[in-house]
Amino acid sequence: NCCSRTLYQRRVREQQFIYLQNKPRMSLNLQLIQETWEKVKPHGQEWGPKFYGNMWSKYPEVRTTFFPESKPEIQGPRLFSSLNFMIKNASDVETLKQYCFNMGDRHKKYHCAREHFKVVGETLIITLEQFLGDEFTPEVREQFVLLYDVVAEMTIKGLEADTSSSSN
């Protein structure tokens, strides 16, 4: 049926994206991540439209559920600002945990779900590769995937936490 076919297609896509979780854990090279991000920062205005264009062309079904009322020109700068903050503060684990938890909690109102994080992660990598070209080496890719996995898990904790009794 339709729903099981969609679920199957989603699972296949999730398996196609290579996460480092199946490899031995390596440590984050924050210097490499931050130096690489400095090369992306001048493209901040272009980042949002490119990111959302990539996501919605590869995963058109998420456009209706993932920020359906948002426009890339509005959400894009927010995303870019969040990426800047997380990369800048990646060495401050407590600050990063709190930021990601709060971001996950805020994303409940957007009907964000755990499976959206794989879509965002894959889109992040695709978009980084487009902006960096040949400078997006396998090592850079691995480092950004590793950082994204950590950030995604922290954010999912906020998304899945029962914070309904606290004020938003």
Side-chain angles (χ1 to χ4, degrees):
N1 74 37
C2 172
C3 294
S4 63
R5 182 178 48 217
T6 302
L7 182 59
Y8 172 76
Q9 290 168 339
R10 183 182 303 145
R11 285 187 182 142
V12 168
R13 278 194 303 258
E14 290 172 0
Q15 291 170 359
Q16 290 171 345
F17 186 58
I18 300 169
Y19 279 88
L20 295 176
Q21 293 169 340
N22 297 330
K23 293 184 177 183
R25 271 303 203 204
M26 57 188 291
S27 60
L28 277 171
N29 182 341
L30 294 179
Q31 181 177 350
L32 177 63
I33 291 169
Q34 290 167 342
E35 287 173 359
T36 303
W37 186 249
E38 286 299 316
K39 297 171 186 173
V40 176
K41 283 172 71 174
H43 304 284
Q45 294 283 13
E46 306 158 56
W47 179 268
K50 178 64 93 177
F51 177 89
Y52 286 101
N54 287 336
M55 182 168 59
W56 290 331
S57 68
K58 187 162 180 138
Y59 300 102
E61 69 277 9
V62 299
R63 187 167 194 162
T64 57
T65 57
F66 194 68
F67 300 108
E69 296 89 29
S70 287
K71 295 180 169 74
E73 61 273 11
I74 294 170
Q75 194 58 34
R78 292 177 185 163
L79 170 66
F80 198 75
S81 177
S82 287
L83 291 169
N84 276 323
F85 182 88
M86 291 183 282
I87 290 168
K88 179 181 175 186
N89 291 285
S91 61
D92 183 348
V93 176
E94 289 308 311
T95 297
L96 189 61
K97 273 185 187 177
Q98 190 63 50
Y99 182 83
C100 291
F101 184 91
N102 291 341
M103 183 169 52
D105 189 47
R106 283 192 315 273
H107 278 68
K108 290 175 186 175
K109 65 185 171 191
Y110 302 118
H111 310 290
C112 191
R114 178 179 279 272
E115 61 267 16
H116 290 133
F117 286 85
K118 291 190 188 283
V119 170
V120 170
E122 183 173 344
T123 305
L124 172 69
I125 297 304
I126 290 168
T127 308
L128 281 168
E129 188 170 20
Q130 289 171 337
F131 279 102
L132 292 167
D134 292 341
E135 294 183 74
F136 196 63
T137 64
E139 182 184 11
V140 169
R141 174 187 293 270
E142 285 184 352
Q143 288 299 310
F144 273 93
V145 169
L146 183 59
L147 178 61
Y148 180 77
D149 284 348
V150 169
V151 165
E153 282 306 313
M154 291 177 179
T155 307
I156 289 168
K157 286 183 180 179
L159 181 70
E160 295 179 345
D162 181 8
T163 57
S164 56
S165 61
S166 64
S167 62
N168 291 336

